[in-house]
Amino acid sequence: MYPMSTEKKEQSQRQPLAHKAYQIIHEKIMTLALKPGEHIDERTLVEELGIGRTPIREALLRLASEHLVESKPNKGFAVKALTLQDVKSMFEALNILEIGACSLAVTQELETCVSLMKDAQQLVRKSIEKNDVIGLVKSNHSFHMHFARCSNNEYIVRALNEVRNEVNRLAYLSFAGVRDLSRDLKDHYKAVISEHDLIIKHLEHRELEALQETVRIHIRTFQRRILNYLAT
């Protein structure tokens, strides 16, 4: 085996750092520590994270490819803004992609992805019990991405990941800061758990129409939560 060149060594060392930077910055965006429209100071991130500028730049370019940040000519990067039109478009895309994924999913081998959905559902339950907002947003994202993978279509998976990145920001926005669970929020969580269970059930029984209707209702449940939040 030939020894690794200095250039390749540097690349292999950068990759984990770039991934670490991506994860940290991604969470900052999801939790609104970096707010929509906010300029991202790369020098501040270098000092704060103790990671070199190159891995941070690679992480920001990856986030730009996922449309979570925007590159501004001669101004660096900024967190992508969230507008009312963005919210409207996001829900339109969510309906088309997730309901469309149903018809593919029921024709696939489902054992692995359904098992992963059940694991994610357990984490959703635990996060709700602890009122762990970050845990809830992450586990809910995992549940829906495992559902997307049931389609066995990478284009749908990538598109849903991008849309659900925006969903996560809205979810955190509407749940963050809640300390005492109101009846409204308890009812919302109860609906989320019930609808997730039904999605799994209809997938396992390959009940296409029931699955599509449950997914449609599930999207409306979240949409009502967001619209109520925006109204207040």
Side-chain angles (χ1 to χ4, degrees), residues 154-172:
E154 282 303 310
Y155 291 96
I156 288 175
V157 173
R158 287 202 298 267
L160 271 171
N161 186 61
E162 184 176 318
V163 173
R164 285 208 156 268
N165 275 327
E166 298 286 35
V167 169
N168 292 342
R169 287 206 285 174
L170 288 172
Y172 192 87

Side-chain angles (χ1 to χ4, degrees), residues 204-221:
E204 289 183 313
H205 291 87
R206 301 181 186 276
E207 298 165 336
L208 177 57
E209 290 184 9
L211 177 60
Q212 289 176 321
E213 182 58 22
T214 302
V215 169
R216 190 176 288 112
I217 290 168
H218 190 53
I219 293 170
R220 282 204 299 266
T221 296

Side-chain angles (χ1 to χ4, degrees), residues 8-55:
K8 287 186 177 179
K9 279 183 182 177
E10 289 175 353
Q11 286 178 341
S12 67
Q13 289 168 351
R14 277 207 312 271
Q15 284 305 315
L17 288 176
H19 183 65
K20 180 182 177 182
Y22 167 85
Q23 289 181 313
I24 294 171
I25 300 168
H26 185 277
E27 184 162 310
K28 284 178 175 289
I29 294 170
M30 290 301 104
T31 60
L32 307 178
L34 287 170
K35 296 176 176 58
E38 183 177 343
H39 172 71
I40 298 173
D41 190 323
E42 292 181 50
R43 284 177 296 183
T44 299
L45 286 174
V46 168
E47 293 173 6
E48 182 183 335
L49 306 185
I51 296 174
R53 190 159 190 166
T54 299

Side-chain angles (χ1 to χ4, degrees), residues 61-184:
L61 288 170
R62 179 178 170 187
L63 289 162
S65 73
E66 295 175 355
H67 304 288
L68 282 173
V69 305
E70 296 174 318
S71 178
K72 303 283 187 181
N74 303 316
K75 294 182 180 179
F77 294 89
V79 180
K80 184 176 179 292
L82 272 175
T83 67
L84 288 175
Q85 181 57 45
D86 290 332
V87 175
K88 178 177 180 292
S89 298
M90 182 200 74
F91 280 113
E92 289 172 347
L94 205 54
N95 272 284
I96 290 169
L97 290 167
E98 288 206 329
I99 293 171
C102 294
S103 57
L104 292 175
V106 296
T107 68
Q108 305 297 323
E109 169 54 50
L110 296 172
E111 184 177 351
T112 300
C113 65
V114 167
S115 176
L116 291 169
M117 287 171 70
K118 289 178 179 178
D119 291 343
Q121 175 74 327
Q122 287 303 311
L123 293 175
V124 168
R125 291 178 189 274
K126 288 178 182 177
S127 297
I128 288 173
E129 289 169 5
K130 296 177 181 177
N131 198 22
D132 174 7
V133 175
I134 295 178
L136 175 57
V137 171
K138 286 182 175 179
S139 54
N140 184 68
H141 181 78
S142 293
F143 178 91
H144 285 279
M145 291 313 300
H146 290 313
F147 169 69
R149 292 184 187 99
C150 289
S151 70
N152 198 30
N153 186 303
E154 282 303 310
Y155 291 96
I156 288 175
V157 173
R158 287 202 298 267
L160 271 171
N161 186 61
E162 184 176 318
V163 173
R164 285 208 156 268
N165 275 327
E166 298 286 35
V167 169
N168 292 342
R169 287 206 285 174
L170 288 172
Y172 192 87
L173 191 65
S174 69
F175 294 140
V178 176
R179 293 290 175 263
D180 299 317
L181 298 185
S182 64
R183 181 176 177 180
D184 173 68

Side-chain angles (χ1 to χ4, degrees), residues 193-211:
I193 291 293
S194 174
E195 288 157 13
H196 279 188
D197 285 340
L198 283 173
I199 289 171
I200 291 171
K201 173 181 173 290
H202 295 318
L203 261 178
E204 289 183 313
H205 291 87
R206 301 181 186 276
E207 298 165 336
L208 177 57
E209 290 184 9
L211 177 60

